[in-house]
Short mmCIF file of all heavy atoms in Angstrom, two decimals:
data_model
loop_
_atom_site.label_atom_id
_atom_site.label_comp_id
_atom_site.label_asym_id
_atom_site.label_seq_id
_atom_site.Cartn_x
_atom_site.Cartn_y
_atom_site.Cartn_z
N MET E 1 0.80 -1.21 -0.02
CA MET E 1 -0.03 -0.01 0.00
C MET E 1 0.86 1.26 -0.03
O MET E 1 0.49 2.26 -0.64
CB MET E 1 -0.89 -0.01 1.25
CG MET E 1 -1.96 1.09 1.19
SD MET E 1 -3.02 0.84 -0.22
CE MET E 1 -4.47 1.55 0.40
N SER E 2 1.99 1.23 0.69
CA SER E 2 2.86 2.38 0.73
C SER E 2 3.47 2.71 -0.67
O SER E 2 3.74 3.88 -0.95
CB SER E 2 3.97 2.24 1.78
OG SER E 2 4.82 1.19 1.44
N VAL E 3 3.69 1.63 -1.48
CA VAL E 3 4.22 1.87 -2.79
C VAL E 3 3.19 2.59 -3.61
O VAL E 3 3.52 3.56 -4.36
CB VAL E 3 4.57 0.50 -3.45
CG1 VAL E 3 4.93 0.71 -4.90
CG2 VAL E 3 5.68 -0.18 -2.70
N LEU E 4 1.92 2.27 -3.53
CA LEU E 4 0.86 2.93 -4.23
C LEU E 4 0.76 4.41 -3.83
O LEU E 4 0.60 5.27 -4.69
CB LEU E 4 -0.44 2.21 -4.02
CG LEU E 4 -1.63 2.71 -4.82
CD1 LEU E 4 -1.39 2.62 -6.31
CD2 LEU E 4 -2.89 1.96 -4.43
N ILE E 5 0.91 4.66 -2.58
CA ILE E 5 0.82 6.07 -2.07
C ILE E 5 2.03 6.85 -2.61
O ILE E 5 1.88 8.00 -3.03
CB ILE E 5 0.74 6.08 -0.54
CG1 ILE E 5 -0.62 5.52 -0.12
CG2 ILE E 5 0.91 7.50 -0.05
CD1 ILE E 5 -0.74 5.29 1.39
N GLY E 6 3.22 6.22 -2.61
CA GLY E 6 4.37 6.89 -3.12
C GLY E 6 4.29 7.22 -4.61
O GLY E 6 4.69 8.28 -5.03
N ILE E 7 3.75 6.31 -5.35
CA ILE E 7 3.52 6.51 -6.76
C ILE E 7 2.58 7.64 -6.99
O ILE E 7 2.77 8.50 -7.84
CB ILE E 7 3.09 5.19 -7.45
CG1 ILE E 7 4.21 4.16 -7.47
CG2 ILE E 7 2.59 5.45 -8.88
CD1 ILE E 7 3.83 2.82 -7.99
N LEU E 8 1.47 7.61 -6.24
CA LEU E 8 0.47 8.68 -6.40
C LEU E 8 1.03 10.07 -6.07
O LEU E 8 0.81 11.04 -6.76
CB LEU E 8 -0.75 8.35 -5.51
CG LEU E 8 -1.89 9.34 -5.53
CD1 LEU E 8 -2.48 9.40 -6.96
CD2 LEU E 8 -2.94 8.98 -4.57
N ILE E 9 1.79 10.15 -4.96
CA ILE E 9 2.38 11.38 -4.57
C ILE E 9 3.38 11.91 -5.60
O ILE E 9 3.40 13.08 -5.94
CB ILE E 9 3.03 11.30 -3.18
CG1 ILE E 9 1.94 11.16 -2.09
CG2 ILE E 9 3.94 12.48 -2.89
CD1 ILE E 9 2.50 10.80 -0.71
N THR E 10 4.21 10.96 -6.10
CA THR E 10 5.16 11.35 -7.20
C THR E 10 4.47 11.87 -8.41
O THR E 10 4.84 12.90 -8.99
CB THR E 10 6.01 10.13 -7.55
OG1 THR E 10 6.67 9.66 -6.42
CG2 THR E 10 7.07 10.50 -8.61
N PHE E 11 3.39 11.18 -8.84
CA PHE E 11 2.61 11.61 -9.99
C PHE E 11 2.01 13.00 -9.75
O PHE E 11 2.08 13.88 -10.67
CB PHE E 11 1.52 10.58 -10.30
CG PHE E 11 0.66 10.98 -11.44
CD1 PHE E 11 1.11 10.81 -12.73
CD2 PHE E 11 -0.67 11.41 -11.26
CE1 PHE E 11 0.36 11.19 -13.83
CE2 PHE E 11 -1.42 11.76 -12.35
CZ PHE E 11 -0.92 11.67 -13.64
N LEU E 12 1.45 13.24 -8.59
CA LEU E 12 0.86 14.56 -8.29
C LEU E 12 1.90 15.65 -8.26
O LEU E 12 1.67 16.76 -8.77
CB LEU E 12 0.15 14.51 -6.97
CG LEU E 12 -1.15 13.68 -6.97
CD1 LEU E 12 -1.76 13.61 -5.58
CD2 LEU E 12 -2.15 14.21 -7.95
N VAL E 13 3.10 15.39 -7.75
CA VAL E 13 4.18 16.36 -7.74
C VAL E 13 4.63 16.70 -9.16
O VAL E 13 4.81 17.88 -9.46
CB VAL E 13 5.34 15.87 -6.87
CG1 VAL E 13 6.56 16.75 -7.06
CG2 VAL E 13 4.94 15.82 -5.37
N VAL E 14 4.76 15.64 -10.00
CA VAL E 14 5.19 15.96 -11.38
C VAL E 14 4.13 16.75 -12.10
O VAL E 14 4.46 17.74 -12.81
CB VAL E 14 5.45 14.57 -12.11
CG1 VAL E 14 5.58 14.80 -13.57
CG2 VAL E 14 6.65 13.88 -11.58
N VAL E 15 2.86 16.47 -11.95
CA VAL E 15 1.82 17.24 -12.56
C VAL E 15 1.80 18.66 -12.06
O VAL E 15 1.67 19.60 -12.83
CB VAL E 15 0.45 16.56 -12.34
CG1 VAL E 15 -0.68 17.45 -12.75
CG2 VAL E 15 0.36 15.25 -13.07
N LEU E 16 1.99 18.84 -10.77
CA LEU E 16 2.03 20.21 -10.19
C LEU E 16 3.22 21.01 -10.78
O LEU E 16 3.07 22.16 -11.14
CB LEU E 16 2.16 20.16 -8.64
CG LEU E 16 2.28 21.47 -7.95
CD1 LEU E 16 1.01 22.32 -8.17
CD2 LEU E 16 2.58 21.28 -6.50
N ILE E 17 4.40 20.36 -10.84
CA ILE E 17 5.54 21.04 -11.42
C ILE E 17 5.36 21.40 -12.85
O ILE E 17 5.70 22.50 -13.32
CB ILE E 17 6.82 20.22 -11.20
CG1 ILE E 17 7.16 20.08 -9.71
CG2 ILE E 17 8.02 20.80 -11.97
CD1 ILE E 17 8.30 19.15 -9.37
N LEU E 18 4.75 20.50 -13.64
CA LEU E 18 4.48 20.80 -15.06
C LEU E 18 3.48 21.95 -15.16
O LEU E 18 3.64 22.77 -16.08
CB LEU E 18 3.93 19.56 -15.76
CG LEU E 18 4.95 18.44 -15.99
CD1 LEU E 18 4.23 17.19 -16.56
CD2 LEU E 18 6.02 18.90 -16.90
N TRP E 19 2.50 22.02 -14.31
CA TRP E 19 1.55 23.11 -14.33
C TRP E 19 2.29 24.45 -13.99
O TRP E 19 2.01 25.48 -14.66
CB TRP E 19 0.41 22.86 -13.35
CG TRP E 19 -0.58 23.97 -13.29
CD1 TRP E 19 -1.57 24.25 -14.24
CD2 TRP E 19 -0.69 24.96 -12.27
NE1 TRP E 19 -2.22 25.35 -13.82
CE2 TRP E 19 -1.75 25.82 -12.66
CE3 TRP E 19 0.02 25.20 -11.10
CZ2 TRP E 19 -2.12 26.88 -11.86
CZ3 TRP E 19 -0.35 26.25 -10.31
CH2 TRP E 19 -1.42 27.08 -10.74
N LEU E 20 3.17 24.40 -13.00
CA LEU E 20 3.90 25.60 -12.68
C LEU E 20 4.82 26.07 -13.79
O LEU E 20 5.02 27.27 -13.99
CB LEU E 20 4.67 25.40 -11.38
CG LEU E 20 3.83 25.27 -10.07
CD1 LEU E 20 4.73 24.83 -8.93
CD2 LEU E 20 3.08 26.56 -9.80
N VAL E 21 5.41 25.12 -14.47
CA VAL E 21 6.34 25.47 -15.56
C VAL E 21 5.52 26.17 -16.68
O VAL E 21 6.01 27.07 -17.34
CB VAL E 21 6.99 24.17 -16.11
CG1 VAL E 21 7.67 24.43 -17.43
CG2 VAL E 21 8.07 23.71 -15.10
N GLN E 22 4.28 25.73 -16.92
CA GLN E 22 3.45 26.35 -17.92
C GLN E 22 3.21 27.83 -17.63
O GLN E 22 3.03 28.62 -18.48
CB GLN E 22 2.12 25.64 -18.01
CG GLN E 22 2.13 24.37 -18.78
CD GLN E 22 2.47 24.57 -20.24
OE1 GLN E 22 2.11 25.55 -20.83
NE2 GLN E 22 3.20 23.58 -20.81
N ARG E 23 3.21 28.19 -16.33
CA ARG E 23 2.90 29.53 -15.91
C ARG E 23 4.15 30.42 -15.92
O ARG E 23 4.03 31.66 -15.65
CB ARG E 23 2.22 29.51 -14.58
CG ARG E 23 0.98 28.68 -14.61
CD ARG E 23 0.05 28.81 -13.50
NE ARG E 23 -0.24 30.15 -13.02
CZ ARG E 23 -1.21 30.93 -13.52
NH1 ARG E 23 -1.98 30.53 -14.47
NH2 ARG E 23 -1.38 32.13 -13.01
N LEU E 24 5.34 29.86 -16.16
CA LEU E 24 6.58 30.70 -16.16
C LEU E 24 6.61 31.57 -17.40
O LEU E 24 6.30 31.15 -18.50
CB LEU E 24 7.81 29.73 -16.13
CG LEU E 24 8.14 29.06 -14.85
CD1 LEU E 24 9.32 28.09 -15.13
CD2 LEU E 24 8.45 30.01 -13.74
N PRO E 25 7.08 32.79 -17.18
CA PRO E 25 7.22 33.74 -18.34
C PRO E 25 8.53 33.49 -19.09
O PRO E 25 9.41 34.35 -19.08
CB PRO E 25 7.08 35.12 -17.69
CG PRO E 25 7.68 34.87 -16.35
CD PRO E 25 7.30 33.48 -15.94
N VAL E 26 8.71 32.33 -19.68
CA VAL E 26 9.94 32.07 -20.46
C VAL E 26 9.58 31.69 -21.88
O VAL E 26 8.37 31.47 -22.18
CB VAL E 26 10.75 30.93 -19.76
CG1 VAL E 26 11.31 31.37 -18.44
CG2 VAL E 26 9.96 29.68 -19.68
N GLU E 27 10.56 31.63 -22.69
CA GLU E 27 10.31 31.23 -24.10
C GLU E 27 9.75 29.82 -24.19
O GLU E 27 10.03 28.98 -23.29
CB GLU E 27 11.64 31.30 -24.90
CG GLU E 27 12.19 32.68 -25.03
CD GLU E 27 13.47 32.67 -25.87
OE1 GLU E 27 13.69 31.73 -26.59
OE2 GLU E 27 14.24 33.67 -25.71
N ALA E 28 9.10 29.53 -25.29
CA ALA E 28 8.47 28.22 -25.44
C ALA E 28 9.47 27.12 -25.50
O ALA E 28 9.25 26.01 -25.01
CB ALA E 28 7.61 28.22 -26.70
N ARG E 29 10.60 27.34 -26.14
CA ARG E 29 11.66 26.34 -26.28
C ARG E 29 12.24 25.97 -24.87
O ARG E 29 12.39 24.77 -24.60
CB ARG E 29 12.75 26.90 -27.16
CG ARG E 29 13.85 25.91 -27.45
CD ARG E 29 13.41 24.87 -28.43
NE ARG E 29 14.54 24.00 -28.79
CZ ARG E 29 14.43 22.75 -29.10
NH1 ARG E 29 13.25 22.24 -29.21
NH2 ARG E 29 15.50 22.06 -29.34
N VAL E 30 12.50 26.97 -24.09
CA VAL E 30 13.02 26.70 -22.75
C VAL E 30 11.99 25.94 -21.87
O VAL E 30 12.32 25.04 -21.20
CB VAL E 30 13.43 28.05 -22.08
CG1 VAL E 30 13.88 27.83 -20.62
CG2 VAL E 30 14.54 28.71 -22.82
N ARG E 31 10.72 26.37 -22.01
CA ARG E 31 9.64 25.71 -21.32
C ARG E 31 9.53 24.24 -21.68
O ARG E 31 9.37 23.37 -20.86
CB ARG E 31 8.32 26.43 -21.57
CG ARG E 31 7.15 25.94 -20.75
CD ARG E 31 5.88 26.67 -21.01
NE ARG E 31 6.09 28.09 -20.74
CZ ARG E 31 5.59 29.11 -21.56
NH1 ARG E 31 4.91 28.80 -22.62
NH2 ARG E 31 5.80 30.36 -21.24
N GLN E 32 9.68 24.00 -22.96
CA GLN E 32 9.61 22.59 -23.43
C GLN E 32 10.75 21.75 -22.89
O GLN E 32 10.55 20.61 -22.52
CB GLN E 32 9.58 22.58 -24.97
CG GLN E 32 9.39 21.18 -25.55
CD GLN E 32 9.40 21.26 -27.09
OE1 GLN E 32 9.89 22.20 -27.70
NE2 GLN E 32 8.87 20.23 -27.72
N ILE E 33 11.95 22.29 -22.84
CA ILE E 33 13.11 21.58 -22.32
C ILE E 33 12.92 21.29 -20.83
O ILE E 33 13.17 20.16 -20.36
CB ILE E 33 14.38 22.39 -22.55
CG1 ILE E 33 14.71 22.42 -24.05
CG2 ILE E 33 15.55 21.81 -21.76
CD1 ILE E 33 15.84 23.39 -24.42
N ILE E 34 12.41 22.29 -20.10
CA ILE E 34 12.15 22.05 -18.66
C ILE E 34 11.10 20.95 -18.46
O ILE E 34 11.20 20.12 -17.58
CB ILE E 34 11.68 23.37 -17.99
CG1 ILE E 34 12.80 24.38 -18.03
CG2 ILE E 34 11.22 23.13 -16.54
CD1 ILE E 34 12.42 25.76 -17.57
N GLN E 35 10.07 20.94 -19.30
CA GLN E 35 9.01 19.93 -19.18
C GLN E 35 9.59 18.56 -19.43
O GLN E 35 9.25 17.60 -18.74
CB GLN E 35 7.87 20.22 -20.17
CG GLN E 35 7.02 21.36 -19.75
CD GLN E 35 5.98 21.72 -20.82
OE1 GLN E 35 6.12 21.35 -21.96
NE2 GLN E 35 4.93 22.41 -20.43
N ILE E 36 10.43 18.39 -20.44
CA ILE E 36 11.00 17.15 -20.74
C ILE E 36 11.87 16.64 -19.58
O ILE E 36 11.82 15.47 -19.21
CB ILE E 36 11.85 17.21 -22.06
CG1 ILE E 36 10.91 17.38 -23.26
CG2 ILE E 36 12.70 15.96 -22.26
CD1 ILE E 36 11.59 17.72 -24.56
N VAL E 37 12.67 17.54 -19.01
CA VAL E 37 13.53 17.19 -17.89
C VAL E 37 12.66 16.73 -16.69
O VAL E 37 12.96 15.70 -16.05
CB VAL E 37 14.45 18.33 -17.47
CG1 VAL E 37 15.16 18.07 -16.15
CG2 VAL E 37 15.43 18.59 -18.57
N VAL E 38 11.58 17.43 -16.43
CA VAL E 38 10.69 17.08 -15.28
C VAL E 38 10.02 15.70 -15.54
O VAL E 38 9.97 14.89 -14.61
CB VAL E 38 9.64 18.17 -15.07
CG1 VAL E 38 8.55 17.69 -14.13
CG2 VAL E 38 10.26 19.42 -14.57
N ILE E 39 9.64 15.45 -16.76
CA ILE E 39 9.01 14.15 -17.06
C ILE E 39 9.98 13.05 -16.92
O ILE E 39 9.68 11.95 -16.34
CB ILE E 39 8.36 14.19 -18.46
CG1 ILE E 39 7.17 15.12 -18.46
CG2 ILE E 39 8.01 12.80 -18.94
CD1 ILE E 39 6.60 15.39 -19.84
N ILE E 40 11.24 13.22 -17.35
CA ILE E 40 12.24 12.19 -17.26
C ILE E 40 12.57 11.89 -15.76
O ILE E 40 12.60 10.75 -15.36
CB ILE E 40 13.52 12.57 -18.01
CG1 ILE E 40 13.26 12.52 -19.55
CG2 ILE E 40 14.68 11.71 -17.64
CD1 ILE E 40 14.35 13.06 -20.41
N ILE E 41 12.68 12.95 -14.97
CA ILE E 41 12.91 12.75 -13.56
C ILE E 41 11.76 12.05 -12.90
O ILE E 41 11.93 11.18 -12.01
CB ILE E 41 13.24 14.11 -12.87
CG1 ILE E 41 14.59 14.66 -13.35
CG2 ILE E 41 13.24 13.99 -11.35
CD1 ILE E 41 14.87 16.05 -12.93
N GLY E 42 10.56 12.40 -13.27
CA GLY E 42 9.35 11.74 -12.74
C GLY E 42 9.31 10.30 -13.09
O GLY E 42 8.97 9.43 -12.26
N ILE E 43 9.66 9.94 -14.33
CA ILE E 43 9.66 8.51 -14.73
C ILE E 43 10.71 7.74 -13.95
O ILE E 43 10.46 6.65 -13.51
CB ILE E 43 9.89 8.41 -16.25
CG1 ILE E 43 8.65 8.89 -16.99
CG2 ILE E 43 10.21 7.00 -16.61
CD1 ILE E 43 8.85 8.99 -18.52
N ILE E 44 11.87 8.35 -13.77
CA ILE E 44 12.91 7.65 -12.98
C ILE E 44 12.46 7.47 -11.52
O ILE E 44 12.68 6.38 -10.95
CB ILE E 44 14.23 8.45 -13.07
CG1 ILE E 44 14.83 8.37 -14.48
CG2 ILE E 44 15.24 7.97 -12.03
CD1 ILE E 44 15.99 9.29 -14.69
N ALA E 45 11.85 8.45 -10.96
CA ALA E 45 11.33 8.30 -9.57
C ALA E 45 10.27 7.20 -9.51
O ALA E 45 10.28 6.41 -8.56
CB ALA E 45 10.75 9.65 -9.08
N LEU E 46 9.37 7.11 -10.48
CA LEU E 46 8.36 6.06 -10.49
C LEU E 46 9.02 4.71 -10.64
O LEU E 46 8.57 3.75 -10.06
CB LEU E 46 7.34 6.35 -11.59
CG LEU E 46 6.37 7.50 -11.33
CD1 LEU E 46 5.51 7.71 -12.55
CD2 LEU E 46 5.54 7.23 -10.12
N LEU E 47 10.05 4.64 -11.47
CA LEU E 47 10.73 3.30 -11.63
C LEU E 47 11.42 2.91 -10.38
O LEU E 47 11.49 1.71 -10.05
CB LEU E 47 11.69 3.40 -12.80
CG LEU E 47 11.05 3.48 -14.21
CD1 LEU E 47 12.15 3.68 -15.24
CD2 LEU E 47 10.20 2.28 -14.48
N LYS E 48 11.89 3.87 -9.57
CA LYS E 48 12.46 3.50 -8.31
C LYS E 48 11.46 2.93 -7.34
O LYS E 48 11.77 2.01 -6.61
CB LYS E 48 13.17 4.75 -7.65
CG LYS E 48 14.48 5.10 -8.26
CD LYS E 48 15.17 6.17 -7.51
CE LYS E 48 16.53 6.41 -8.04
NZ LYS E 48 17.28 7.44 -7.27
N TYR E 49 10.25 3.51 -7.35
CA TYR E 49 9.19 2.96 -6.54
C TYR E 49 8.82 1.56 -6.94
O TYR E 49 8.42 0.74 -6.12
CB TYR E 49 7.95 3.84 -6.57
CG TYR E 49 7.99 4.96 -5.59
CD1 TYR E 49 8.03 6.32 -6.04
CD2 TYR E 49 8.02 4.77 -4.22
CE1 TYR E 49 8.07 7.34 -5.17
CE2 TYR E 49 8.07 5.81 -3.32
CZ TYR E 49 8.09 7.11 -3.82
OH TYR E 49 8.15 8.14 -2.96
N LEU E 50 8.93 1.24 -8.20
CA LEU E 50 8.59 -0.08 -8.70
C LEU E 50 9.79 -1.04 -8.58
O LEU E 50 9.69 -2.14 -9.09
CB LEU E 50 8.11 0.02 -10.14
CG LEU E 50 6.78 0.80 -10.32
CD1 LEU E 50 6.51 0.96 -11.79
CD2 LEU E 50 5.66 0.15 -9.63
N ALA E 51 10.83 -0.58 -7.99
CA ALA E 51 12.06 -1.42 -7.72
C ALA E 51 12.73 -1.85 -8.99
O ALA E 51 13.30 -2.94 -9.06
CB ALA E 51 11.73 -2.59 -6.84
N VAL E 52 12.70 -1.04 -10.01
CA VAL E 52 13.39 -1.37 -11.27
C VAL E 52 14.88 -1.02 -11.09
O VAL E 52 15.75 -1.73 -11.61
CB VAL E 52 12.78 -0.60 -12.49
CG1 VAL E 52 13.58 -0.83 -13.71
CG2 VAL E 52 11.30 -1.08 -12.67
N PHE E 53 15.16 0.11 -10.42
CA PHE E 53 16.53 0.52 -10.18
C PHE E 53 16.94 0.15 -8.79
O PHE E 53 16.25 0.28 -7.84
CB PHE E 53 16.70 2.05 -10.38
CG PHE E 53 16.56 2.50 -11.79
CD1 PHE E 53 15.62 3.44 -12.14
CD2 PHE E 53 17.40 2.00 -12.76
CE1 PHE E 53 15.50 3.84 -13.45
CE2 PHE E 53 17.29 2.40 -14.08
CZ PHE E 53 16.31 3.32 -14.44
#
């Protein structure tokens, strides 16, 4: 059950960060790079919860 809660919290944090990045007053290219980095970090965190790493 704790794994499920950890996955849910990680997913919510990634979604919140992506929403905040959308609101930043930066160029579209920089925003896209930040979004990709956040998504990759989120996927790695989720894989850690699933004991892949």
Side-chain angles (χ1 to χ4, degrees):
M1 189 62 151
S2 65
V3 173
L4 184 62
I5 292 171
I7 291 172
L8 181 63
I9 290 172
T10 303
F11 179 74
L12 290 175
V13 168
V14 168
V15 169
L16 177 66
I17 292 172
L18 288 174
W19 179 76
L20 290 172
V21 167
Q22 284 293 327
R23 302 192 47 87
L24 287 176
V26 295
E27 294 181 20
R29 182 77 175 151
V30 175
R31 187 179 301 139
Q32 185 179 19
I33 292 171
I34 294 171
Q35 288 175 340
I36 291 170
V37 169
V38 168
I39 290 172
I40 290 172
I41 292 171
I43 289 172
I44 291 171
L46 287 174
L47 289 176
K48 282 187 176 184
Y49 276 115
L50 297 174
V52 174
F53 289 121

